[in-house]
Amino acid sequence: LQDDYACIYCIVDLHALTTLQGTEAVSHIQQNVVEMLLDWLAAGLDPKESILFVQSQVPEVTELQTLLSMATPLSWLMRVPTFKEKVKMQPENVNYGLLGYPVLMTADIVLYKAEVVPVGEDQVPHLELAREIVRRFNGLYGDTFPEPQPKLTHAPLVLGLDGAQKMSKQLDNHIELAATPEETTQRIMTAYTDPARKRKTDPGHPEICNIYRLHQSFRPAKAEEVDPQCRSAEIGCVECKRLLAQEINEALAPLRERRLEFSSRPQYVREVLAEGAHLAGAIARETMEEVRDKMGLVPRKT
């Protein structure tokens, strides 16, 4: 994407607080920020081409969230499917921030006047709500923000190893990019496969098997080979998972090598985040001057 767009990548530590509570829970956030940035750098994001920064280091985002919330009907937030899912997942922690998650997400996007947002299918409802919030704000206060458009990839929804829900660290059904080949193989061997296949000699049904979907995501050509082999019971689920583990480890090998190199340069990692916050902050401050003016607030500049 950074070859075709002016990209801004934000590590959303404030969003994490909608789930995490207490000193022990939040004690890992700063290290998790570093781990995510290492993943990004290893995957090829270039600080010379893209802005990489931490959400909370640009405080204008919370100011904009507050102002956008004044134009967002409560009923819009209550109907978001992922809010209802989160309530079921953490009934003891249904906080104001959790309900307002989509407003903060909208602020993340429109603070930088973003026009295109790469998302998975599960985030499309949130993005549509962001578009609604933009339309309402523009209608109330004048044309200010572009309506962000979603950009889906060739794998718009990646299910987790449980085969039922999206891949998620919170659900512990994920594969760590930084895991060792052995750890990755071990995780994949625990994954659910074709629920209709009881024995190796039974014909498989790739169209309902999440392992096959992951083959399609990582190496489509291999998926074409696996399909007839599975349907004819030429290979069983265990062998199919071993093939997937091999594909994933081969695909991630160069990423893991680069990640190790970046992890040995902590000063560089800090510099990337500092420069990213500086660049993002400059855009954010300009946007907020416009927003404050249109909402009749006293300007910061005198």
Side-chain angles (χ1 to χ4, degrees):
L1 291 175
Q2 67 186 0
D3 293 335
D4 300 315
Y5 298 88
C7 291
I8 300 176
Y9 293 97
C10 177
I11 299 176
V12 289
D13 53 342
L14 294 175
H15 280 289
L17 297 177
T18 64
T19 299
L20 304 175
Q21 277 194 333
T23 54
E24 174 60 27
V26 302
S27 64
H28 306 290
I29 288 180
Q30 292 188 35
Q31 184 57 37
N32 288 344
V33 165
V34 172
E35 296 295 331
M36 177 167 282
L37 180 62
L38 289 174
D39 284 345
W40 287 3
L41 294 172
L45 295 188
D46 185 351
K48 295 178 181 178
E49 300 291 334
S50 302
I51 296 176
L52 315 177
F53 73 105
V54 181
Q55 180 186 35
S56 64
Q57 290 190 316
V58 180
E60 286 81 5
V61 72
T62 54
E63 179 185 8
L64 182 56
Q65 179 197 17
T66 298
L67 298 180
L68 291 177
S69 70
M70 307 303 181
T72 305
L74 180 62
S75 60
W76 289 9
L77 301 176
M78 295 290 289
R79 75 180 188 222
V80 175
T82 48
F83 171 67
K84 298 174 183 177
E85 293 169 9
K86 286 287 188 179
V87 168
K88 293 178 182 178
M89 290 174 60
Q90 53 185 70
E92 76 293 342
N93 182 21
V94 182
N95 54 71
Y96 172 76
L98 186 65
L99 179 65
Y101 184 109
V103 183
L104 180 55
M105 174 179 162
T106 302
D108 284 323
I109 298 166
V110 303
L111 184 59
Y112 309 102
K113 302 290 185 80
E115 298 177 352
V116 177
V117 186
V119 292
E121 284 183 350
D122 61 297
Q123 288 295 322
V124 170
H126 277 166
L127 190 56
E128 181 54 38
L129 178 54
R131 289 160 53 81
E132 290 186 37
I133 293 172
V134 165
R135 285 193 292 268
R136 184 173 175 85
F137 186 94
N138 288 348
L140 289 170
Y141 300 106
D143 191 27
T144 308
F145 304 114
E147 289 189 30
Q149 303 296 323
K151 184 174 181 61
L152 299 175
T153 70
H154 76 284
L157 176 64
V158 179
L159 293 180
L161 299 178
D162 56 9
Q165 303 178 81
K166 74 168 184 175
M167 192 170 282
S168 163
K169 284 188 177 183
Q170 187 178 6
L171 297 174
D172 194 30
N173 64 359
H174 64 295
I175 299 170
E176 289 280 357
L177 294 178
T180 65
E182 294 75 20
E183 290 169 338
T184 299
T185 300
Q186 185 177 14
R187 290 282 287 178
I188 291 172
M189 297 307 292
T190 67
Y192 285 90
T193 54
D194 180 351
R197 196 175 188 186
K198 306 302 180 183
R199 299 178 298 275
K200 181 180 178 179
T201 54
D202 293 338
H205 309 81
E207 66 276 5
I208 62 172
C209 178
N210 191 43
I211 295 299
Y212 179 73
R213 295 190 193 99
L214 290 172
H215 276 296
Q216 289 178 309
S217 296
F218 276 90
R219 191 170 296 173
K222 176 60 69 173
E224 292 180 8
E225 292 179 23
V226 166
D227 186 302
Q229 293 174 332
C230 175
R231 293 184 190 278
S232 63
E234 184 179 341
I235 62 172
C237 294
V238 171
E239 185 178 354
C240 193
K241 287 193 281 190
R242 287 201 180 103
L243 287 172
L244 176 63
Q246 181 180 344
E247 292 166 24
I248 291 179
N249 282 324
E250 288 176 356
L252 295 182
L255 183 150
R256 288 165 173 163
E257 185 176 345
R258 291 193 298 270
R259 194 182 193 283
L260 187 63
E261 194 273 328
F262 282 119
S263 67
S264 68
R265 301 164 59 192
Q267 180 60 32
Y268 173 72
V269 170
R270 289 192 289 270
E271 289 172 358
V272 168
L273 292 179
E275 177 63 13
H278 172 72
L279 294 172
I283 301 171
R285 287 187 290 275
E286 185 175 337
T287 299
M288 289 313 301
E289 286 301 321
E290 179 183 359
V291 170
R292 292 175 64 86
D293 178 63
K294 288 186 174 179
M295 296 188 77
L297 300 176
V298 176
R300 290 188 185 279
K301 297 177 181 179
T302 55

